[in-house]
Amino acid sequence: MKIFRNNIWENHLQSAAPNEVKWSYWNDCFSIPEGEVCFNVMTGSLVLMSNSEYENLSKAKECISRLWELGLYADVHKDEYKDWLKIYREGKNDESFLDLTFLTSRQCQFKCTYCFEGLKPKKDLTDETISHIKSFLEKRKGSFQKLQVYWFGGEPLIGYNKIITLSDYITHFCDNNEIEYDSSITTNGYALTRERCEELVKSCRISRYVITVDGTEEVHNQRRPLLSGKGTFKTIWQNIHWLVDFGAHVVFRITIDKENADNIPLLLDKIAQSGFAGKVSIALARTFEILNTPEDLGSKVFSEREFAPVEMKLIDYAHSLGLMNYRLPHKAPLGGCLRKGDITIGTDGEIYKCLDTIGEMKWVTGSIDKIDSEPQPQWYKDYLNWTPDDSNKCRGCKLQPLCSGGCPHNAMFSDKMHGSVLQCPDWKPNYRCQIERYIKEKIGKNEFELLQSER
């Protein structure tokens, strides 16, 4: 038996194995030409067995202790699924770390061909809202140890001065209270300059920048021009260079449909040739057709089934260029976006639970200045009470501890303005393909551990 990854998530399994064990409910097993893969979604352990080893596991008494450590065996008296649902529910009440998303502006200077936003109101984060955010943090001082801030829009850099003002307060607040701080921004990257890149990275401590680039210059400029029609590629490309030079991590988000899919390998070539390997990440995203998307988009959009092989082919190519590693999925926080500590704050202080509902007043759950005193809408109470066990799609799925049930909004409701309408995470269609390639790569490099009894 070859062990490619040990238990990295569940420390309690380091205790001695009980007298009676069973094959873990959370083992996701499937066949590849090299043998039987077993990935335990609770512990993160990954092993490869021959067919005979898999068939004779119950007889391999000498391996029980090691398989228990890996989490592949569980206590026969435990109901693993009920235990997970319990900690999932408890996770929803976790406020030991805060995930705060700030909408600094509803405006945008781009006119993307696939934009779902519709008319963009001229709204920026108000000074009053900033004051309420500060009060919110002060009231919770001492109750959390980690703060993650996400700057979002519209185009968040239109509210650049607001970012500077609020970042200055938050960084000092965290330093003075020994709170771990991390910050990211999703931006089109156009309004950056060398000076702004330096200020955002060094003073504001925004370390991660998600910037959409949809192809090489001609293709990108056609898809993501300014409102005036002017191209944006050259400016964005230069700004990415400055961000990388100042030590930021840039995520190239590439939105893909039938219109630009064939151009993406050329973009990947350009990224690799620019010396970005190891300094940037690649995020491949499918173009979505939802409520406010242009009418002519339908024929250009890949279905989820159509996109899976397109995405995998691009992952393979990016990997060959040193731009992507084959990835094993990571765990979402327990409770997912239903956690009490996961909050999205709009420009006027309105609170959304789902990032994809920004701008739709019917999905507002309250306001930042009255977060602890306002009555909750009934739909929101139902939303907070949701668990993956309420979903036919989730029930019986082995991946729940990884995705925490995916998107609860999409599980419960049928409409929203932004993002995918799918419940499952976008990594799911190629999840096993990536594991298979990961294993083959490790075998080629002889990077695995043999079970003790086989040495």
Side-chain angles (χ1 to χ4, degrees):
M1 186 182 301
K2 296 179 177 66
I3 302 172
F4 294 92
R5 193 165 77 172
N6 286 290
N7 175 354
I8 62 172
W9 291 327
E10 293 291 303
N11 292 330
H12 72 275
L13 289 174
Q14 299 305 319
S15 58
N19 292 327
E20 295 182 89
V21 295
K22 62 182 176 182
W23 193 236
S24 173
Y25 175 84
W26 296 117
N27 291 333
D28 185 31
C29 302
F30 57 95
S31 299
I32 63 174
E34 290 76 13
E36 296 296 319
V37 175
C38 181
F39 178 64
N40 186 278
V41 300
M42 284 295 288
T43 68
S45 298
L46 178 65
V47 303
L48 179 70
M49 296 171 271
S50 67
N51 291 331
S52 61
E53 286 173 330
Y54 184 68
E55 291 169 0
N56 293 289
L57 266 175
S58 61
K59 302 176 183 177
K61 303 297 184 183
E62 72 281 3
C63 299
I64 288 178
S65 178
R66 187 72 178 100
L67 294 174
W68 165 262
E69 291 175 0
L70 293 168
L72 304 186
Y73 276 153
D75 188 330
V76 73
H77 301 294
K78 293 282 187 180
D79 187 325
E80 295 176 86
Y81 185 67
K82 283 186 177 179
D83 287 348
W84 180 77
L85 278 179
K86 179 182 177 183
I87 63 172
Y88 172 88
R89 292 188 182 99
E90 292 171 349
K92 291 198 289 186
N93 293 317
D94 181 18
E95 293 183 272
S96 65
F97 71 97
L98 294 182
D99 282 324
L100 302 183
T101 298
F102 300 138
L103 192 70
T104 60
S105 179
R106 293 279 302 279
Q107 302 180 65
C108 182
Q109 70 276 59
F110 277 28
K111 188 178 182 180
C112 300
T113 56
Y114 50 84
C115 182
F116 46 67
E117 292 277 6
L119 183 64
K120 304 174 186 67
K122 293 185 177 181
K123 283 192 172 185
D124 296 334
L125 190 66
T126 65
D127 292 336
E128 184 180 20
T129 298
I130 291 177
S131 177
H132 291 318
I133 290 170
K134 293 178 181 179
S135 297
F136 167 82
L137 290 172
E138 291 291 345
K139 289 177 183 177
R140 278 163 173 71
K141 185 165 53 178
S143 65
F144 63 97
Q145 295 78 49
K146 182 176 180 180
L147 173 61
Q148 295 185 125
V149 166
Y150 302 90
W151 305 95
F152 202 70
E155 169 47 46
L157 291 178
I158 290 177
Y160 182 79
N161 292 333
K162 308 291 185 177
I163 295 175
I164 301 302
T165 299
L166 199 44
S167 289
D168 181 66
Y169 166 79
I170 291 175
T171 53
H172 284 92
F173 172 84
C174 289
D175 290 345
N176 293 337
N177 293 284
E178 298 182 341
I179 296 169
E180 182 183 347
Y181 180 61
D182 184 55
S183 183
S184 304
I185 186 170
T186 297
T187 170
N188 59 39
Y190 189 80
L192 291 167
T193 62
R194 188 183 186 282
E195 292 71 27
R196 285 186 167 189
C197 289
E198 183 174 20
E199 186 172 28
L200 290 169
V201 174
K202 294 185 176 181
S203 298
C204 299
R205 286 155 52 182
I206 302 176
S207 59
R208 184 172 179 266
Y209 297 74
V210 181
I211 300 176
T212 300
V213 180
D214 274 357
T216 53
E217 184 171 355
E218 182 179 356
V219 171
H220 172 92
N221 285 344
Q222 186 275 322
R223 292 169 63 85
R224 296 181 63 81
L226 292 174
L227 291 169
S228 66
K230 179 183 175 182
T232 59
F233 183 89
K234 287 182 178 178
T235 299
I236 295 170
W237 198 261
Q238 177 59 72
N239 291 338
I240 290 174
H241 271 281
W242 280 326
L243 285 172
V244 171
D245 288 346
F246 286 119
H249 184 83
V250 175
V251 179
F252 278 86
R253 187 183 190 278
I254 306 171
T255 312
I256 303 168
D257 50 49
K258 296 173 184 178
E259 192 173 54
N260 69 332
D262 291 342
N263 182 254
I264 305 307
L266 296 177
L267 172 63
L268 295 174
D269 287 339
K270 181 173 177 62
I271 294 171
Q273 292 160 9
S274 297
F276 285 146
K279 301 175 182 178
V280 303
S281 297
I282 308 296
L284 306 172
R286 182 169 64 94
T287 305
F288 297 114
E289 180 188 18
I290 3 190
L291 298 177
N292 292 332
T293 42
E295 292 181 5
D296 63 346
L297 194 64
S299 61
K300 302 173 185 176
V301 174
F302 287 113
S303 67
E304 184 184 31
R305 184 183 295 274
E306 289 173 327
F307 186 61
V310 173
E311 180 190 39
M312 200 62 233
K313 185 176 180 181
L314 290 172
I315 290 173
D316 285 335
Y317 189 64
H319 180 271
S320 73
L321 297 174
L323 296 175
M324 291 184 79
N325 295 321
Y326 293 124
R327 300 168 182 164
L328 275 62
H330 64 273
K331 273 189 177 182
L334 281 169
C337 59
L338 297 181
R339 285 180 50 252
K340 282 186 177 179
D342 191 313
I343 302 169
T344 296
I345 303 168
T347 54
D348 293 317
E350 74 277 18
I351 293 176
Y352 306 90
K353 198 58 180 167
C354 176
L355 183 66
D356 288 347
T357 62
I358 286 175
E360 295 184 271
M361 296 307 294
K362 68 179 179 178
W363 301 122
V364 170
T365 67
S367 56
I368 190 62
D369 60 322
K370 301 174 184 175
I371 190 168
D372 296 318
S373 60
E374 281 183 297
Q376 296 175 339
Q378 185 57 49
W379 71 263
Y380 185 47
K381 293 177 183 178
D382 296 339
Y383 181 70
L384 293 178
N385 286 328
W386 183 88
T387 72
D389 198 45
D390 295 326
S391 168
N392 291 331
K393 199 172 193 64
C394 290
R395 210 171 293 124
C397 178
K398 299 285 188 181
L399 305 183
Q400 290 178 56
L402 298 176
C403 68
S404 277
C407 177
H409 184 100
N410 289 348
M412 295 184 68
F413 309 115
S414 60
D415 66 316
K416 63 179 183 180
M417 184 185 296
H418 304 244
S420 168
V421 294
L422 300 174
Q423 180 184 344
C424 294
D426 57 6
W427 50 260
K428 183 178 178 180
N430 284 318
Y431 153 76
R432 288 182 169 180
C433 288
Q434 291 226 52
I435 288 180
E436 179 178 357
R437 283 161 170 77
Y438 177 91
I439 286 174
K440 288 181 178 179
E441 184 175 41
K442 293 293 184 181
I443 290 175
K445 295 178 179 179
N446 204 35
E447 294 178 352
F448 56 84
E449 170 194 347
L450 287 174
L451 195 63
Q452 186 69 35
S453 63
E454 297 176 14
R455 291 178 179 171

